[in-house]
Amino acid sequence: MLLPHVTLCHSFTLQKLCHFHWVLPQSRKLPPSPAAFLRRSLRAPPSRWYWRPQPLWKKVLSAMAVGAPLLLGACYLTAEPPEKRRMRLVAEGVGRFCRSLRVGLRISLDYWWCTNVILRGIEENSPGYLEVMSACHQRAADALVAGAISNGGLYVKLGQGLCSFNHLLPPEYIRTLRVLEDRALTRGFQEVDELFLEDFQAPPHKLFQEFEYQPIAAASLAQVHRARLHDGTAVAVKVQYIDLRDRFDGDIHTLELLLRLVEFMHPSFGFSWVLQDLKGTLAQELDFENEGRNAERCARDLQHFHYIMVPRVHWDTSSKVGWASSWVGVHRPAELSLFLPQRVLTAEFCEGCKVNDVEAIKSMGLATQDIAEKLIQAFAEQIFYTGFIHSDPHPGNVLVRKGPDGKAQLVLLDHGLYQFLDEKDRSALCQLWRAIILRDDAAMKAHAASLGVRDYLLFSEVLMQRPVRLGQLWRSHLLSREEAAYMQAMAREHFEDIMAVLKALPRPMLLVLRNVNTVRAINTALGTPVDRYFLMAKSAVRGWSRLVSEAQPSVYGTSLLRHAREVWEMLKFEVALRLETLSMRLTALLVQVLAHLGLMPSTEGLYEYLAT
């Protein structure tokens, strides 16, 4: 009796399932087929749609948005390799500018936030204030280094140049920026081959028996490859970055604009004049033939120092002055006499460690005192006598190796940046140094004036990098806790005065100061094994005596009297110098004792300032 009822229920369930499966596809909205989509798109629009004519400016913008990239792409694809490189440089230049602007604004806002928000109401020289500002300085220095490495070229060179302002910039900047002395982005082997083809019309393996594409060093303007000549001689091949000359003017203008922007936002930090005055000198560094000639002259000037070695230049494998790369291999119109300096320089390969690598120096069994003394004497000879001065002697450009006599030999590299100091300025500088030692205020003022400086005391302290008169040092309330860091704060308190002094200097003197400051920093890194102050002063007086002797006629009687006078002046100067040195050492010792007894705060920077 139940069977018909079960059958009826089963039929009803099947009917519901069939209806469900029929409704399910209808409820899904499947995407239309391509044919259906095309037919739908070709139908006439609804009556509520109507065509509205576009303004002319919209048509022009639309055409430019589509046509400009296509046109530029077509021009790039049909251009010669040098033109392609210049087109890439334009795009990369915009990127470098935006990156530099971002870094500058970030640093400026960071300083503004720290000084006006975080440190509002906090005493300037309190520990909390100094801690916050130190962290701000470090962030700014890190941002500068990252931006310089990313941009490369002149940005790295500018960062290296800032290291020489160690009497103006906070120590966080100096420590951080020093990584730029031997750190830069390297370029690939394709670029090296391209440059060799432009300068030599041959790849590197045609000119050398061996050529290592992996650079052994990368600097701001070039990278160095190890190679071997066909006669087996090991050489170092310095290859300029291929795009550097094309981007030089653009980078200079960008840096000028950014420095002016910084000067506008922070009027006391006006360094734009430095770049303006050194543009010509920087341009000389792009000419490797000029660098080779500088190296040969340096070797001649210092040949009487047997411990100085300058690598010999191999001119036959260095690129020659020739036509611009964009005209290589094509017809050159007569009116376009466009020449380019050489971009490849091959010199003798020299092993050695950096001059401030104390561990490597000691592992060779060499004495840091011997190295520091030789370094100071060599560069003092250039400053006070020859006048042909290596202006970029950072540790990466001075190597140390064991010489034939078993003692230290210094290898001088990178001779692209030199400054010539004429005899008049050399004589004034020598006599100023001498007057400082003899404490002759009238002579100091006169010789500083001949160099174009009015504030002779401030300039003398900048030049010497130590207090000129100890009486002023102790009269400045150095022993009070509030002003215990007088010499450390000198640059901050007299920043604008120092900038005015530097601006008034003859431009060659800026690079002289860079040389002096760099050598002082190297001596400090070596542990201050010698008295730089003493050695430089003796070299100054000796150089002045030699200049005077060469300028006057050599008559026997006159020469004998002049020689006797020179001996007397040297003896008098030697006594004054030793008394000055003794006084400075006693002052440094007294500072240490007072700090140890708790009578004044421990100021390691002040002790270093007095001792070096």
Side-chain angles (χ1 to χ4, degrees), residues 103-119 132-141 143 173 265-266:
V103 170
L105 291 176
R106 173 184 168 188
I107 292 174
S108 296
L109 290 175
D110 194 7
Y111 274 107
W112 181 88
W113 181 261
C114 288
T115 54
N116 293 280
V117 178
I118 299 178
L119 297 175
V132 171
M133 288 308 300
S134 177
C136 186
H137 292 327
Q138 189 61 55
R139 289 193 298 272
Y173 280 87
M265 299 179 68
H266 307 279

mmCIF file of all heavy atoms in Angstrom, residues 103-119 132-141 143 173 265-266:
data_model
loop_
_atom_site.group_PDB
_atom_site.id
_atom_site.type_symbol
_atom_site.label_atom_id
_atom_site.label_comp_id
_atom_site.label_asym_id
_atom_site.label_seq_id
_atom_site.Cartn_x
_atom_site.Cartn_y
_atom_site.Cartn_z
ATOM 1 N N VAL A 103 67.242 64.189 -1.108
ATOM 2 C CA VAL A 103 68.205 64.084 -0.009
ATOM 3 C C VAL A 103 68.372 65.432 0.692
ATOM 4 O O VAL A 103 68.380 65.521 1.932
ATOM 5 C CB VAL A 103 69.560 63.568 -0.535
ATOM 6 C CG1 VAL A 103 70.631 63.690 0.532
ATOM 7 C CG2 VAL A 103 69.443 62.118 -0.982
ATOM 8 N N GLY A 104 68.490 66.514 -0.103
ATOM 9 C CA GLY A 104 68.665 67.834 0.495
ATOM 10 C C GLY A 104 67.478 68.260 1.333
ATOM 11 O O GLY A 104 67.646 68.781 2.444
ATOM 12 N N LEU A 105 66.265 68.043 0.828
ATOM 13 C CA LEU A 105 65.078 68.412 1.594
ATOM 14 C C LEU A 105 64.940 67.562 2.851
ATOM 15 O O LEU A 105 64.544 68.066 3.915
ATOM 16 C CB LEU A 105 63.837 68.263 0.713
ATOM 17 C CG LEU A 105 63.707 69.269 -0.440
ATOM 18 C CD1 LEU A 105 62.483 68.950 -1.291
ATOM 19 C CD2 LEU A 105 63.624 70.691 0.092
ATOM 20 N N ARG A 106 65.278 66.291 2.714
ATOM 21 C CA ARG A 106 65.183 65.402 3.881
ATOM 22 C C ARG A 106 66.125 65.856 4.986
ATOM 23 O O ARG A 106 65.752 65.913 6.165
ATOM 24 C CB ARG A 106 65.505 63.975 3.438
ATOM 25 C CG ARG A 106 65.608 62.965 4.575
ATOM 26 C CD ARG A 106 66.033 61.629 4.018
ATOM 27 N NE ARG A 106 66.429 60.707 5.075
ATOM 28 C CZ ARG A 106 66.984 59.516 4.854
ATOM 29 N NH1 ARG A 106 67.176 59.097 3.626
ATOM 30 N NH2 ARG A 106 67.321 58.741 5.864
ATOM 31 N N ILE A 107 67.361 66.205 4.623
ATOM 32 C CA ILE A 107 68.332 66.647 5.628
ATOM 33 C C ILE A 107 67.898 67.973 6.249
ATOM 34 O O ILE A 107 67.955 68.164 7.473
ATOM 35 C CB ILE A 107 69.728 66.767 4.990
ATOM 36 C CG1 ILE A 107 70.253 65.382 4.603
ATOM 37 C CG2 ILE A 107 70.696 67.451 5.941
ATOM 38 C CD1 ILE A 107 71.555 65.417 3.836
ATOM 39 N N SER A 108 67.426 68.907 5.416
ATOM 40 C CA SER A 108 67.009 70.208 5.929
ATOM 41 C C SER A 108 65.830 70.081 6.882
ATOM 42 O O SER A 108 65.813 70.705 7.951
ATOM 43 C CB SER A 108 66.644 71.129 4.753
ATOM 44 O OG SER A 108 67.765 71.392 3.944
ATOM 45 N N LEU A 109 64.840 69.273 6.513
ATOM 46 C CA LEU A 109 63.684 69.084 7.384
ATOM 47 C C LEU A 109 64.071 68.380 8.679
ATOM 48 O O LEU A 109 63.523 68.686 9.755
ATOM 49 C CB LEU A 109 62.607 68.286 6.644
ATOM 50 C CG LEU A 109 61.913 69.024 5.495
ATOM 51 C CD1 LEU A 109 60.950 68.084 4.761
ATOM 52 C CD2 LEU A 109 61.160 70.243 5.996
ATOM 53 N N ASP A 110 65.016 67.450 8.591
ATOM 54 C CA ASP A 110 65.470 66.751 9.790
ATOM 55 C C ASP A 110 66.112 67.730 10.767
ATOM 56 O O ASP A 110 65.837 67.718 11.984
ATOM 57 C CB ASP A 110 66.442 65.646 9.400
ATOM 58 C CG ASP A 110 66.701 64.669 10.548
ATOM 59 O OD1 ASP A 110 66.031 64.786 11.587
ATOM 60 O OD2 ASP A 110 67.561 63.785 10.397
ATOM 61 N N TYR A 111 66.981 68.614 10.262
ATOM 62 C CA TYR A 111 67.619 69.605 11.127
ATOM 63 C C TYR A 111 66.581 70.578 11.695
ATOM 64 O O TYR A 111 66.646 70.945 12.870
ATOM 65 C CB TYR A 111 68.695 70.374 10.357
ATOM 66 C CG TYR A 111 70.036 69.692 10.351
ATOM 67 C CD1 TYR A 111 70.526 69.077 9.205
ATOM 68 C CD2 TYR A 111 70.827 69.657 11.494
ATOM 69 C CE1 TYR A 111 71.754 68.437 9.193
ATOM 70 C CE2 TYR A 111 72.059 69.034 11.501
ATOM 71 C CZ TYR A 111 72.517 68.421 10.345
ATOM 72 O OH TYR A 111 73.730 67.786 10.345
ATOM 73 N N TRP A 112 65.627 70.998 10.858
ATOM 74 C CA TRP A 112 64.607 71.923 11.345
ATOM 75 C C TRP A 112 63.775 71.278 12.446
ATOM 76 O O TRP A 112 63.480 71.909 13.465
ATOM 77 C CB TRP A 112 63.703 72.337 10.182
ATOM 78 C CG TRP A 112 62.644 73.320 10.605
ATOM 79 C CD1 TRP A 112 62.747 74.682 10.638
ATOM 80 C CD2 TRP A 112 61.330 72.996 11.080
ATOM 81 N NE1 TRP A 112 61.579 75.234 11.100
ATOM 82 C CE2 TRP A 112 60.673 74.219 11.388
ATOM 83 C CE3 TRP A 112 60.641 71.809 11.282
ATOM 84 C CZ2 TRP A 112 59.375 74.277 11.873
ATOM 85 C CZ3 TRP A 112 59.352 71.855 11.768
ATOM 86 C CH2 TRP A 112 58.730 73.076 12.061
ATOM 87 N N TRP A 113 63.389 70.030 12.257
ATOM 88 C CA TRP A 113 62.568 69.334 13.244
ATOM 89 C C TRP A 113 63.326 69.163 14.564
ATOM 90 O O TRP A 113 62.766 69.352 15.643
ATOM 91 C CB TRP A 113 62.137 67.987 12.687
ATOM 92 C CG TRP A 113 61.257 67.197 13.619
ATOM 93 C CD1 TRP A 113 61.613 66.187 14.458
ATOM 94 C CD2 TRP A 113 59.853 67.377 13.796
ATOM 95 N NE1 TRP A 113 60.535 65.713 15.140
ATOM 96 C CE2 TRP A 113 59.425 66.423 14.770
ATOM 97 C CE3 TRP A 113 58.903 68.232 13.248
ATOM 98 C CZ2 TRP A 113 58.110 66.320 15.176
ATOM 99 C CZ3 TRP A 113 57.593 68.130 13.662
ATOM 100 C CH2 TRP A 113 57.207 67.187 14.616
ATOM 101 N N CYS A 114 64.603 68.815 14.480
ATOM 102 C CA CYS A 114 65.396 68.608 15.695
ATOM 103 C C CYS A 114 65.583 69.915 16.460
ATOM 104 O O CYS A 114 65.415 69.953 17.686
ATOM 105 C CB CYS A 114 66.749 67.999 15.348
ATOM 106 S SG CYS A 114 66.670 66.266 14.843
ATOM 107 N N THR A 115 65.944 70.976 15.754
ATOM 108 C CA THR A 115 66.271 72.231 16.441
ATOM 109 C C THR A 115 65.038 72.996 16.903
ATOM 110 O O THR A 115 65.077 73.684 17.928
ATOM 111 C CB THR A 115 67.105 73.134 15.515
ATOM 112 O OG1 THR A 115 66.402 73.315 14.267
ATOM 113 C CG2 THR A 115 68.462 72.514 15.246
ATOM 114 N N ASN A 116 63.916 72.885 16.173
ATOM 115 C CA ASN A 116 62.742 73.687 16.496
ATOM 116 C C ASN A 116 61.651 72.931 17.245
ATOM 117 O O ASN A 116 60.759 73.566 17.815
ATOM 118 C CB ASN A 116 62.137 74.271 15.220
ATOM 119 C CG ASN A 116 63.033 75.286 14.558
ATOM 120 O OD1 ASN A 116 63.106 76.435 14.956
ATOM 121 N ND2 ASN A 116 63.748 74.839 13.528
ATOM 122 N N VAL A 117 61.697 71.612 17.236
ATOM 123 C CA VAL A 117 60.653 70.834 17.894
ATOM 124 C C VAL A 117 61.232 69.997 19.032
ATOM 125 O O VAL A 117 60.887 70.175 20.198
ATOM 126 C CB VAL A 117 59.906 69.937 16.882
ATOM 127 C CG1 VAL A 117 58.851 69.096 17.590
ATOM 128 C CG2 VAL A 117 59.263 70.786 15.791
ATOM 129 N N ILE A 118 62.152 69.089 18.686
ATOM 130 C CA ILE A 118 62.665 68.164 19.699
ATOM 131 C C ILE A 118 63.485 68.889 20.752
ATOM 132 O O ILE A 118 63.359 68.615 21.951
ATOM 133 C CB ILE A 118 63.494 67.059 19.025
ATOM 134 C CG1 ILE A 118 62.630 66.250 18.052
ATOM 135 C CG2 ILE A 118 64.110 66.138 20.071
ATOM 136 C CD1 ILE A 118 63.390 65.171 17.309
ATOM 137 N N LEU A 119 64.326 69.837 20.321
ATOM 138 C CA LEU A 119 65.264 70.481 21.246
ATOM 139 C C LEU A 119 64.783 71.843 21.730
ATOM 140 O O LEU A 119 65.583 72.614 22.257
ATOM 141 C CB LEU A 119 66.633 70.627 20.563
ATOM 142 C CG LEU A 119 67.318 69.317 20.178
ATOM 143 C CD1 LEU A 119 68.597 69.588 19.412
ATOM 144 C CD2 LEU A 119 67.617 68.489 21.420
ATOM 145 N N VAL A 132 71.118 64.352 20.668
ATOM 146 C CA VAL A 132 70.144 64.479 19.579
ATOM 147 C C VAL A 132 70.800 65.033 18.320
ATOM 148 O O VAL A 132 70.577 64.543 17.209
ATOM 149 C CB VAL A 132 68.965 65.369 20.018
ATOM 150 C CG1 VAL A 132 68.056 65.696 18.829
ATOM 151 C CG2 VAL A 132 68.162 64.685 21.105
ATOM 152 N N MET A 133 71.643 66.059 18.474
ATOM 153 C CA MET A 133 72.299 66.654 17.304
ATOM 154 C C MET A 133 73.296 65.700 16.685
ATOM 155 O O MET A 133 73.458 65.669 15.452
ATOM 156 C CB MET A 133 72.990 67.954 17.701
ATOM 157 C CG MET A 133 72.030 69.105 17.983
ATOM 158 S SD MET A 133 70.851 69.403 16.648
ATOM 159 C CE MET A 133 71.943 69.789 15.277
ATOM 160 N N SER A 134 73.969 64.897 17.498
ATOM 161 C CA SER A 134 74.894 63.910 16.954
ATOM 162 C C SER A 134 74.153 62.888 16.096
ATOM 163 O O SER A 134 74.622 62.525 15.004
ATOM 164 C CB SER A 134 75.647 63.207 18.082
ATOM 165 O OG SER A 134 76.502 62.201 17.574
ATOM 166 N N ALA A 135 72.987 62.442 16.573
ATOM 167 C CA ALA A 135 72.192 61.499 15.786
ATOM 168 C C ALA A 135 71.698 62.144 14.491
ATOM 169 O O ALA A 135 71.672 61.502 13.426
ATOM 170 C CB ALA A 135 71.007 60.996 16.607
ATOM 171 N N CYS A 136 71.334 63.422 14.560
ATOM 172 C CA CYS A 136 70.892 64.142 13.354
ATOM 173 C C CYS A 136 72.039 64.292 12.358
ATOM 174 O O CYS A 136 71.861 64.091 11.153
ATOM 175 C CB CYS A 136 70.333 65.511 13.753
ATOM 176 S SG CYS A 136 69.607 66.431 12.381
ATOM 177 N N HIS A 137 73.229 64.643 12.848
ATOM 178 C CA HIS A 137 74.415 64.728 11.974
ATOM 179 C C HIS A 137 74.682 63.381 11.296
ATOM 180 O O HIS A 137 75.008 63.328 10.101
ATOM 181 C CB HIS A 137 75.645 65.136 12.792
ATOM 182 C CG HIS A 137 75.588 66.540 13.327
ATOM 183 N ND1 HIS A 137 74.967 67.564 12.662
ATOM 184 C CD2 HIS A 137 76.094 67.075 14.475
ATOM 185 C CE1 HIS A 137 75.088 68.669 13.367
ATOM 186 N NE2 HIS A 137 75.764 68.407 14.461
ATOM 187 N N GLN A 138 74.549 62.296 12.058
ATOM 188 C CA GLN A 138 74.842 60.977 11.504
ATOM 189 C C GLN A 138 73.840 60.607 10.415
ATOM 190 O O GLN A 138 74.213 60.056 9.370
ATOM 191 C CB GLN A 138 74.819 59.925 12.620
ATOM 192 C CG GLN A 138 75.312 58.552 12.196
ATOM 193 C CD GLN A 138 76.748 58.587 11.720
ATOM 194 O OE1 GLN A 138 77.635 59.042 12.435
ATOM 195 N NE2 GLN A 138 76.991 58.134 10.496
ATOM 196 N N ARG A 139 72.549 60.903 10.638
ATOM 197 C CA ARG A 139 71.543 60.617 9.609
ATOM 198 C C ARG A 139 71.821 61.421 8.344
ATOM 199 O O ARG A 139 71.694 60.906 7.228
ATOM 200 C CB ARG A 139 70.148 60.937 10.146
ATOM 201 C CG ARG A 139 69.645 59.971 11.198
ATOM 202 C CD ARG A 139 68.154 60.162 11.431
ATOM 203 N NE ARG A 139 67.825 61.489 11.928
ATOM 204 C CZ ARG A 139 67.800 61.833 13.203
ATOM 205 N NH1 ARG A 139 68.099 60.926 14.139
ATOM 206 N NH2 ARG A 139 67.471 63.064 13.573
ATOM 207 N N ALA A 140 72.187 62.675 8.527
ATOM 208 C CA ALA A 140 72.482 63.514 7.364
ATOM 209 C C ALA A 140 73.700 62.992 6.603
ATOM 210 O O ALA A 140 73.697 62.926 5.365
ATOM 211 C CB ALA A 140 72.710 64.955 7.807
ATOM 212 N N ALA A 141 74.741 62.605 7.336
ATOM 213 C CA ALA A 141 75.949 62.090 6.679
ATOM 214 C C ALA A 141 75.656 60.786 5.944
ATOM 215 O O ALA A 141 76.132 60.579 4.819
ATOM 216 C CB ALA A 141 77.051 61.882 7.718
ATOM 217 N N ALA A 143 72.800 59.870 4.658
ATOM 218 C CA ALA A 143 72.017 60.199 3.468
ATOM 219 C C ALA A 143 72.900 60.778 2.367
ATOM 220 O O ALA A 143 72.726 60.466 1.178
ATOM 221 C CB ALA A 143 70.910 61.187 3.827
ATOM 222 N N TYR A 173 80.161 63.739 10.152
ATOM 223 C CA TYR A 173 80.297 63.886 8.706
ATOM 224 C C TYR A 173 81.651 63.359 8.234
ATOM 225 O O TYR A 173 81.732 62.636 7.235
ATOM 226 C CB TYR A 173 80.154 65.353 8.308
ATOM 227 C CG TYR A 173 78.740 65.850 8.218
ATOM 228 C CD1 TYR A 173 78.089 66.333 9.343
ATOM 229 C CD2 TYR A 173 78.055 65.848 7.016
ATOM 230 C CE1 TYR A 173 76.782 66.802 9.268
ATOM 231 C CE2 TYR A 173 76.753 66.321 6.935
ATOM 232 C CZ TYR A 173 76.119 66.795 8.063
ATOM 233 O OH TYR A 173 74.832 67.249 7.982
ATOM 234 N N MET A 265 68.243 78.129 2.424
ATOM 235 C CA MET A 265 67.559 77.605 3.598
ATOM 236 C C MET A 265 68.401 77.736 4.860
ATOM 237 O O MET A 265 67.874 77.924 5.956
ATOM 238 C CB MET A 265 67.185 76.139 3.367
ATOM 239 C CG MET A 265 66.242 75.932 2.189
ATOM 240 S SD MET A 265 65.833 74.199 1.909
ATOM 241 C CE MET A 265 64.851 73.834 3.355
ATOM 242 N N HIS A 266 69.738 77.629 4.705
ATOM 243 C CA HIS A 266 70.651 77.732 5.850
ATOM 244 C C HIS A 266 71.769 78.710 5.450
ATOM 245 O O HIS A 266 72.816 78.289 4.950
ATOM 246 C CB HIS A 266 71.239 76.365 6.208
ATOM 247 C CG HIS A 266 70.199 75.311 6.417
ATOM 248 N ND1 HIS A 266 69.502 75.171 7.594
ATOM 249 C CD2 HIS A 266 69.732 74.334 5.591
ATOM 250 C CE1 HIS A 266 68.661 74.161 7.493
ATOM 251 N NE2 HIS A 266 68.778 73.640 6.290
#
